[in-house]
Amino acid sequence: MKTIVTVVGARPQFIKVAPVSRALRKTGRVREILVHTGQHFDTNMSDVFFAELDIAKPDYLLEVNGGGHGAMTGGMLQKLEPLLQELKPDVVLVYGDTNSTLAGALAAAKLHVPVAHVEAGLRSFNRAMPEEVNRIIADHLAITLFSTTDVSTQNLMREGVSMDKIHQVGDVMLDAALLFAERAKSQSTMLDQLGLRTGEFVLATIHRAENTDNNENLTALVDGLEAVASQMPVVLPLHPRTRNALAHAGKAFDAVKTVEPLGYLDMLALESQAAVIATDSGGVQKEAFFYEVPCIVLREETEWVELIELGWNRLAPPCSGDIAGAITEAIGRRGQPAQPYGDGNAAGRIAEILASNAHSTW
């Protein structure tokens, strides 16, 4: 039986790992060992996801969090290397673009353990983003790259990645959304708790450093969302980084309804019922599309260019000075019908490839 060590550490990765871990178990040919770096560690950012998504308790919790990118990644490497030497896995599986992804890929590659990367080939083409650096390095260390779309596959090919390493499987976030949509609908009471009505509110999320750590951007976001909130309800689950940035800058939301970070099911419930979603999150952009909700991307670029081209998403960077206008103009707007992210069985394809030694160098 093949041993796969899965390295995760951040909220978006817990969502992605849920359908893949389930699919790996179904093969009967894989033993998965789950390593949680601790990058996101509190109840609202970590524990609730394991409980809601039926993810097995991590086999190892490294408890590395806080500090700058170098300190965090170095701390993870320091703990991952001896663990991988002890476990001797056949494959290390990493997801997305976080510091945990980078650390998992680096530690494995230096020990000559094959790396498989889920969500390979995404590019914002902005290397000022830490996530862009992480995903590029992970892709070029991996021997098996699970791309999501035609665009991500083409990005890898342009960078010289051999086609025999690339498997275009679709998007595991679509798998998760389909898998847990009914559970969210039946179990979440978030709309009632917040006094919201379907299709009559805006859902917003802000967490990226370029928005939270830039005073001009943060001010523009606060002002823009407050302007919208004077016309219709705006709900903002407040990321810890954003809360700290607001306090440091001496700013606060007034009309906007801020809530603690939400679990996956509550978030799906709000996303599916919102009139518009405004976000700087990559995952939330896609989830908006899955539920056919127009999305305003609070950034200067996005990895999900197909959603811009299809008309579902629109870029509205804080520097544009028209966040409120972009959000209100998006109400009722629909894009073109399309299925760029596959059929909802990406996890099954990933599991079969990993279980069957599909790559000749394994």
Side-chain angles (χ1 to χ4, degrees), residues 123-138:
R123 297 292 182 267
S124 68
F125 302 101
N126 177 7
R127 294 203 181 187
M129 292 175 57
E131 296 89 350
E132 182 81 349
V133 175
N134 292 345
R135 64 172 71 107
I136 289 172
I137 294 173

Side-chain angles (χ1 to χ4, degrees), residues 79-95:
K79 292 191 174 184
L80 279 169
E81 184 176 72
L83 181 59
L84 294 179
Q85 288 174 319
E86 174 189 342
L87 296 174
K88 296 180 172 58
D90 298 285
V91 182
V92 168
L93 180 62
V94 295
Y95 291 78

Side-chain angles (χ1 to χ4, degrees), residues 194-322:
L194 297 175
L196 301 172
R197 298 174 63 177
T198 298
E200 297 184 10
F201 68 94
V202 174
L203 175 64
T205 74
I206 304 166
H207 80 282
R208 289 193 181 273
E210 58 263 35
N211 284 333
T212 61
D213 299 352
N214 181 306
N215 192 60
E216 290 185 7
N217 285 358
L218 188 62
T219 298
L221 288 166
V222 171
D223 292 346
L225 293 176
E226 284 287 303
V228 175
S230 69
Q231 304 296 321
M232 69 186 303
V234 177
V235 178
L236 175 68
L238 205 53
H239 191 283
R241 175 191 284 160
T242 311
R243 185 184 298 279
N244 292 337
L246 289 167
H248 181 73
K251 301 184 183 302
F253 287 103
D254 182 18
V256 171
K257 295 184 178 183
T258 59
V259 297
E260 292 298 313
L262 298 176
Y264 185 56
L265 300 183
D266 283 337
M267 194 65 181
L268 286 187
L270 290 181
E271 288 170 346
S272 65
Q273 302 302 315
V276 179
I277 293 172
T279 184
D280 60 8
S281 162
V284 175
Q285 291 176 51
K286 287 186 295 179
E287 287 164 348
F289 171 74
F290 300 156
Y291 293 116
E292 299 185 350
V293 175
C295 181
I296 298 301
V297 181
L298 304 172
R299 292 168 50 189
E300 295 186 7
E301 72 286 303
T302 178
E303 300 82 354
W304 308 108
V305 293
E306 56 275 359
L307 297 182
I308 302 293
E309 295 167 355
L310 290 168
W312 286 98
N313 291 9
R314 173 183 170 186
L315 293 173
C319 63
S320 69
D322 192 28

